[in-house]
Each structure stands twice: as C-alpha cells, then as structure tokens.
Amino acid sequence: AQSVTQLDSQVPVFEEAPVELRCNYSSSVSVYLFWYVQYPNQGLQLLLKYLSGSTLVKGINGFEAEFNKSQTSFHLRKPSVHISDTAEYFCAVSESSSSASKIIFGSGTRLSIRP
Amino acid sequence: EAEVAQSPRYKITEKSQAVAFWCDPISGHATLYWYRQILGQGPELLVQFQDESVVDDSQLPKDRFSAERLKGVDSTLKIQPAELGDSAMYLCASSPGTYFVHEQYFGPGTRLTVT
C-alpha cells in the first residue's frame, strides 16, 4: 500500500521569496505522483503530475516539482511566490500499473504569503 | 472547458436527519469518485464507480452512507442519519476510466455542517 507524508503542515513565506513544500511517499511498486492546490471552500485543482520520463516536472502557475526515486521524494518549488498562491497544497500518490488504483493524499501544507 | 458539477455547494443539517449530495461528471467519463475531506486533512476515497458498478467502497460507512449511479452518468451520495462527525467537504471527481486515475478532475465540493 502507498502512503504520503507532507512534512510541514504550515509554511509562511514573504511575497516574492522562493518556497519549497516537502513530500515523501512510500510504495513497493512504481507510482504516479501529483500535487494539487485547494483554495478556500473549493475543490482540488491539479498543479502538476509525474507519470514517467523526466524527473523535473513543470506545472501551472510557475510551480515545478522533482521526482527523486532514491529519496522517495516529490518536493514542490516556486522561485517567487505571490499573494494569490495562498492556499492548501496536497501531495498525492497512486500505483501506475493497476486498473484498480486510487489516489492517496497527504494531509496537506498550508502556504501563507506575507506581503 | 468541461467541469464536474456538484450541488448543493453548502448544506447545514441537524444530526439524525437525512442528507443527499449530487454529482454530474464530465461528459463521457466512465469512472466517478466520491471523497470525504475532514477539515485539516487530505481527501479520502469513499466510493468509486465504473459506469454504474461499484469498484471500491471499502471506506464507505455502509450503515449510514449509500451511493448510487443508476444510469452510469450522474451520482447521488446519501447519509442517513447524519452524525456530528460527518461534517466535512464532500468532493466528487471523474476520469475517463479506471486506468486513468492520473486524469482525475474534481468538482467544487459540498460543504456539509451537521449541528
């Protein structure tokens, strides 16, 4: 079975500063990895996903993430954040080879941007 | 752009009452998911449908929760009777098929408050 650990429940940063949200996963099989963003009282929006190939994945809104198989990590980064990036961010994992696969979500990291 | 529709967006009910949520997936999407997201946590899968059939309902509290997708299109999730611990965001998602877990799109959610 897979699991996801988001190491920080809250990350405060200043506007225009860089940010990294950490994510580690556990799985005995090959995986897909995802980052979702959730704004208050809204559903989840996909930021980016790793399926295969290049370990550096670029997503929407200037975010990127790097898949590190040896460290079982998939950290999310942005070089310069904006007030509008204030939201909850969820890392998620699923098996890549099963028709019955489901997405397992981490507990989330709340990103707060200070002006 | 096609979207997953959910209604109502907000629902307040008293404990022991019945409540129902509706989801209309993206047209042509064969797989439909219902998730529960407790405040401060990531979403947890309650039930997954492939067309009108249940694929996974292992986390659905069957004594009080039921879900149906009679014609393989829209779906209803019901809680009867509601308990205080059911207060949460209920998210619906859809994908083209069970092999397409990586192409999952979420609706805006229904925020349930049980008083």
Side-chain angles (χ1 to χ4, degrees), chain A residues 32 34 36 38 41-44 49 51 90 94 99 101-103 105-107, chain B residues 9-10 37 40 42-43 45 56 91 98-99 101-104 106-108 111:
Chain A
Y32 297 146
F34 311 84
Y36 287 87
Q38 186 177 35
N41 287 315
Q42 294 188 27
L44 275 67
K49 59 188 174 187
L51 304 182
F90 292 94
S94 71
S99 65
S101 182
K102 59 185 180 183
I103 295 180
F105 288 87
S107 57
Chain B
R9 291 292 314 278
Y10 302 91
Q37 184 182 17
L45 182 69
D56 182 353
L91 296 163
T98 55
Y99 276 101
V101 65
H102 55 291
E103 294 288 347
Q104 199 168 134
F106 284 81
R111 168 76 66 189

Side-chain angles (χ1 to χ4, degrees), chain B residues 54-73:
Chain B
V54 173
V55 173
D56 182 353
D57 63 356
S58 57
Q59 299 303 310
L60 188 71
K62 299 181 185 63
D63 57 335
R64 298 184 301 106
F65 285 64
S66 64
E68 60 183 18
R69 194 183 184 200
L70 293 177
K71 296 184 178 180
V73 181

Side-chain angles (χ1 to χ4, degrees), chain A residues 62-100:
Chain A
F63 284 93
E64 64 180 33
E66 186 156 18
F67 170 54
N68 188 319
K69 188 175 182 179
S70 63
Q71 300 196 0
T72 61
S73 67
F74 191 55
H75 301 334
L76 181 70
R77 302 185 182 97
K78 186 170 183 178
S80 175
V81 296
H82 303 285
I83 292 289
S84 59
D85 293 323
T86 298
E88 189 94 19
Y89 291 80
F90 292 94
C91 182
V93 64
S94 71
E95 289 184 14
S96 63
S97 58
S98 169
S99 65

Side-chain angles (χ1 to χ4, degrees), chain A residues 1-112:
Chain A
Q2 306 92 45
S3 66
V4 177
T5 301
Q6 292 185 244
L7 299 165
D8 306 297
S9 60
Q10 295 187 58
V11 173
V13 294
F14 287 103
E15 193 173 16
E16 298 184 7
V19 69
E20 178 180 83
L21 305 184
R22 297 181 293 168
C23 173
N24 286 91
Y25 70 93
S26 173
S27 177
S28 57
V29 299
S30 58
V31 296
Y32 297 146
L33 293 159
F34 311 84
W35 275 99
Y36 287 87
V37 60
Q38 186 177 35
Y39 300 101
N41 287 315
Q42 294 188 27
L44 275 67
Q45 181 183 6
L46 181 67
L47 274 179
L48 50 80
K49 59 188 174 187
Y50 170 79
L51 304 182
S52 65
S54 173
T55 57
L56 182 61
V57 181
K58 294 188 183 297
I60 62 171
N61 301 342
F63 284 93
E64 64 180 33
E66 186 156 18
F67 170 54
N68 188 319
K69 188 175 182 179
S70 63
Q71 300 196 0
T72 61
S73 67
F74 191 55
H75 301 334
L76 181 70
R77 302 185 182 97
K78 186 170 183 178
S80 175
V81 296
H82 303 285
I83 292 289
S84 59
D85 293 323
T86 298
E88 189 94 19
Y89 291 80
F90 292 94
C91 182
V93 64
S94 71
E95 289 184 14
S96 63
S97 58
S98 169
S99 65
S101 182
K102 59 185 180 183
I103 295 180
I104 305 298
F105 288 87
S107 57
T109 297
R110 183 170 299 277
L111 178 62
S112 58

